[in-house]
Amino acid sequence: MIKFKNNLEDVISRIEKARIAYSRHQIIELVAVSKYNTTEDIQALYAFGQRTFGENKVQDLKIKSEKLDELPLQWHMIGTLQENKINTLLALKPTLLQSLDSLKLALAIQKRCEKNQITLKALLQVNSSEEVSKSGVKPQECLEIYHRIVESCPNIKLLGLMSIGAHSSDRSKIELSFKITKTLFDSLHNAKILSMGMSQDFEIAIANGSNMLRIGSVLFQK
Ligand SMILES: *Cc1c(COP(=O)(O)O)cnc(C)c1O
């Protein structure tokens, strides 16, 4: 798995180059998306210094995080969360739910957090490219829903926005989807995290102000 060392070094140096071009003051967090990978793969990347991993299914997050319980890892949930999986997710104490995608889901999470007297950190997912295949709130509704969650869900610590870039070979379309998300992020008073950028578009995301990347395939390629 020495290949992962090269992958990680290569990704970090690409991030660093894009980061410096954007701003020397920008601090960017890398989440390794391990959804297509085994716990052995995760352990290999851990050995080269990676600590934060993202999964898109609660069941996978449960199996992998329990298997790797001895390691000091942070786990992010990045996929669509069904209401019947909320309790399972909360029991795993994830570091961050990146894919909070409706007020209805937020209210359901709030109820369970209140009952268990716990809090959950989360990002509101925005469908900035307005593709039907994607989850997330519409850009036009984003600010209102964000504020409503802050007001009505005291046990959810909303930290910012997550978005998936436009699925396109047209660079300007990808840029536009990131710019829309950045503008929304900038108008939120206390938002800290702007999660955008994946294997194919993370440099464009950084150029548009992202401070959290979710990268899978280029890190784990063998
Ligand atoms: C799979 C996935 C990623 C990572 O995608 P890669 O192209 O493999 O880097 C990022 N974010 C979400 C929400 C995903 O589902």
Side-chain angles (χ1 to χ4, degrees), residues 1-9 44-45 48 219 221-222:
M1 239 72 100
I2 197 73
K3 184 81 192 337
F4 288 177
K5 184 168 191 277
N6 298 328
N7 295 347
L8 186 61
E9 284 172 359
L45 211 56
F48 302 124
L219 280 176
Q221 63 194 342
K222 290 179 181 167

Side-chain angles (χ1 to χ4, degrees), residues 58-167:
V58 173
Q59 203 49 33
D60 292 344
L61 202 157
K62 180 174 163 64
I63 291 168
K64 294 178 192 179
S65 64
E66 285 176 353
K67 215 165 166 189
L68 297 171
D69 189 38
E70 298 295 303
L71 301 181
L73 302 180
Q74 297 199 316
W75 292 96
H76 290 197
M77 171 65 185
I78 63 166
T80 304
L81 176 62
Q82 285 154 356
E83 290 195 18
N84 63 2
K85 300 279 168 55
I86 294 174
N87 284 335
T88 311
L89 180 71
L90 292 177
L92 298 171
K93 299 186 170 64
T95 302
L96 186 64
L97 167 65
Q98 295 208 16
S99 44
L100 181 55
D101 59 8
S102 71
L103 179 61
K104 183 171 175 279
L105 178 63
L107 293 169
I109 293 171
Q110 169 59 27
K111 225 182 187 172
R112 289 168 179 82
C113 282
E114 210 173 295
K115 198 172 153 204
N116 299 314
Q117 295 182 303
I118 54 171
T119 59
L120 178 70
K121 290 180 185 160
L123 304 179
L124 181 61
Q125 183 174 353
V126 199
N127 185 1
S128 298
S129 57
E130 300 196 54
E131 288 165 18
V132 286
S133 60
K134 287 193 177 118
S135 310
V137 300
K138 292 193 181 92
Q140 313 87 267
E141 301 170 343
C142 172
L143 299 179
E144 197 203 323
I145 294 176
Y146 194 98
H147 294 305
R148 293 212 25 209
I149 295 172
V150 170
E151 281 161 21
S152 47
C153 304
N155 295 59
I156 296 177
K157 303 296 167 202
L158 211 46
L159 297 178
L161 301 177
M162 183 273 254
S163 190
I164 299 172
H167 183 72

Side-chain angles (χ1 to χ4, degrees), residues 33 35-36 56 78-79 98-99 125 162-164 197-200 214-219:
V33 176
K35 64 188 181 196
Y36 299 130
N56 68 339
I78 63 166
Q98 295 208 16
S99 44
Q125 183 174 353
M162 183 273 254
S163 190
I164 299 172
M198 312 185 359
S199 291
Q200 299 310 317
R214 309 175 311 271
I215 299 182
S217 42
V218 295
L219 280 176

